[in-house]
C-alpha cells in the first residue's frame, strides 16, 4: 500500500507539473517513466535498508535477552511474575508461570522479549522481501497515471483521464485500508483521493506558472 500510493501520488504530481509547464505527451510519458523507475529503485532500496537495520537491532536485542535468560534467569523471574499479574492472572498462577519460565531458557527469552520489548522472532521482517514488494508496487502505482500519455492522447484529454484513473486506484487503496483497519470506507477513500489530487493540482499550477514565466510554448 505504501509503495503503490507513493508511486501514484508522486508520478501523478510530476506529470501534472510537466503538463502545466511543457504539455508534450511523449515527453511527459518518458519523463514520468524515468522518474517512476528512479522512485521505485529509491523506495525499494530505502525499504530494504530500513528493514535490515531494524532487523539487526531487534535480533541484537533478542540475543541480549537470550543471554540474560541463560546466565541470570533468576533475576528475570520477578519480571515474569509482574507481567502475568498485569495480564490478570492470580498470584499463584503468575508465580507458577515464573517458576516454569526460569527453568526453560527459550520460554523465558520469549516471555521477556514479548512482554517487555514487544518482540516476536517470527514477526521479524525480511529486508529483501520488503524492498522488492515496495519497489514493485511503487512502479505499478506509477504506471497508472501514465497510461493516457503512453497511448498517445493529447494532454488536454490525457491529464483529466490520468486524474480519473489515479482517483479510482487511490479510492481502491482507501477501501482496502479501511476494511483491514475497520475504518470508514468513505472517509478513508476520500482522504486518499483528495490528498493525491490536491498534490497533483498544486504541481500542475506550479507548472503553468513556470510555463508563463519562462515563456514556454508548444506548437
Amino acid at each position: 500500500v505504501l509503495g503503490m500510493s507513493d508511486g501514484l501520488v508522486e508520478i501523478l504530481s510530476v506529470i501534472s507539473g510537466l503538463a502545466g509547464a511543457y504539455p508534450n505527451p511523449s515527453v511527459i510519458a518518458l519523463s514520468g517513466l524515468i522518474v517512476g523507475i528512479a522512485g521505485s529503485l529509491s523506495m525499494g532500496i530505502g525499504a530494504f535498508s530500513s528493514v535490515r537495520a531494524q532487523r539487526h537491532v531487534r535480533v541484537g536485542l533478542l540475543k541480549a535477552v537470550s543471554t540474560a535468560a541463560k546466565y541470570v534467569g533468576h533475576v528475570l523471574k520477578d519480571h515474569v511474575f509482574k507481567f502475568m499479574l498485569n495480564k490478570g492472572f492470580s498470584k499463584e498462577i503468575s508465580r507458577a508461570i515464573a517458576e516454569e519460565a526460569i527453568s526453560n531458557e527459550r520460554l523465558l527469552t520469549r516471555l521477556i522479549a514479548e512482554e517487555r520489548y514487544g518482540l516476536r522472532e517470527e514477526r521479524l521482517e525480511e529486508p529483501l522481501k520488503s524492498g522488492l514488494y515496495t519497489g514493485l508496487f511503487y512502479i505499478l502505482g506509477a504506471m497508472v497515471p501514465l497510461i493516457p500519455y503512453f497511448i498517445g492522447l493529447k494532454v488536454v484529454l490525457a491529464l483529466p483521464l490520468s486524474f480519473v484513473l489515479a482517483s479510482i486506484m487511490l479510492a481502491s487503496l482507501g477501501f482496502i485500508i479501511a476494511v483491514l483497519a475497520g475504518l470508514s470506507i468513505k472517509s478513508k477513500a476520500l482522504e486518499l483521493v483528495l490528498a493525491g489530487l490536491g498534490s497533483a493540482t498544486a504541481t500542475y499550477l506550479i507548472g503553468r506558472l513556470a510555463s508563463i514565466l519562462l515563456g514556454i510554448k508548444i506548437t
Side-chain angles (χ1 to χ4, degrees):
V1 170
L2 172 65
M4 183 167 281
S5 62
D6 274 8
L8 269 167
V9 174
E10 288 179 20
I11 301 306
L12 179 63
S13 298
V14 166
I15 62 177
S16 296
L18 287 171
Y22 194 80
N24 183 308
S26 299
V27 171
I28 293 172
L30 182 59
S31 300
L33 179 61
I34 292 171
V35 174
I37 293 172
S40 175
L41 291 172
S42 177
M43 285 287 290
I45 293 170
F48 171 81
S49 300
S50 175
V51 172
R52 191 164 186 263
Q54 187 180 63
R55 184 183 176 88
H56 284 166
V57 171
R58 291 180 174 180
V59 167
L61 187 55
L62 282 171
K63 286 181 179 179
V65 172
S66 179
T67 301
K70 183 176 182 179
Y71 295 106
V72 290
H74 61 283
V75 176
L76 302 176
K77 180 180 176 180
D78 287 341
H79 291 289
V80 176
F81 177 70
K82 291 176 182 177
F83 293 150
M84 296 303 106
L85 280 179
N86 290 335
K87 282 181 172 293
F89 291 103
S90 67
K91 288 185 178 181
E92 291 74 19
I93 294 177
S94 297
R95 190 172 291 109
I97 294 174
E99 290 288 349
E100 175 70 20
I102 64 170
S103 65
N104 185 327
E105 181 186 318
R106 185 168 180 79
L107 175 60
L108 181 58
T109 298
R110 187 164 186 166
L111 281 171
I112 295 297
E114 290 183 9
E115 300 300 332
R116 186 166 186 175
Y117 301 106
L119 295 178
R120 290 190 179 183
E121 191 172 352
E122 62 271 20
R123 289 187 179 179
L124 293 176
E125 291 185 75
E126 291 293 336
L128 184 59
K129 185 185 291 185
S130 180
L132 287 174
Y133 282 175
T134 304
L136 175 63
F137 280 95
Y138 181 99
I139 196 65
L140 288 176
M143 292 304 296
V144 172
L146 288 174
I147 292 172
Y149 298 95
F150 275 114
I151 62 178
L153 293 179
K154 293 183 178 180
V155 172
V156 68
L157 296 175
L159 183 61
L161 181 56
S162 184
F163 271 63
V164 170
L165 292 175
S167 296
I168 293 172
M169 186 59 71
L170 287 169
S172 300
L173 289 173
F175 172 82
I176 294 171
I177 294 171
V179 170
L180 293 176
L183 304 174
S184 166
I185 294 175
K186 181 179 179 181
S187 297
K188 195 61 186 178
L190 192 60
E191 174 190 325
L192 291 184
V193 171
L194 290 179
L197 297 191
S199 174
T201 301
T203 51
Y204 173 78
L205 294 175
I206 291 171
R208 288 298 300 155
L209 180 61
S211 177
I212 293 170
L213 294 176
L214 298 176
I216 298 174
K217 293 182 179 179
I218 305 299
T219 57

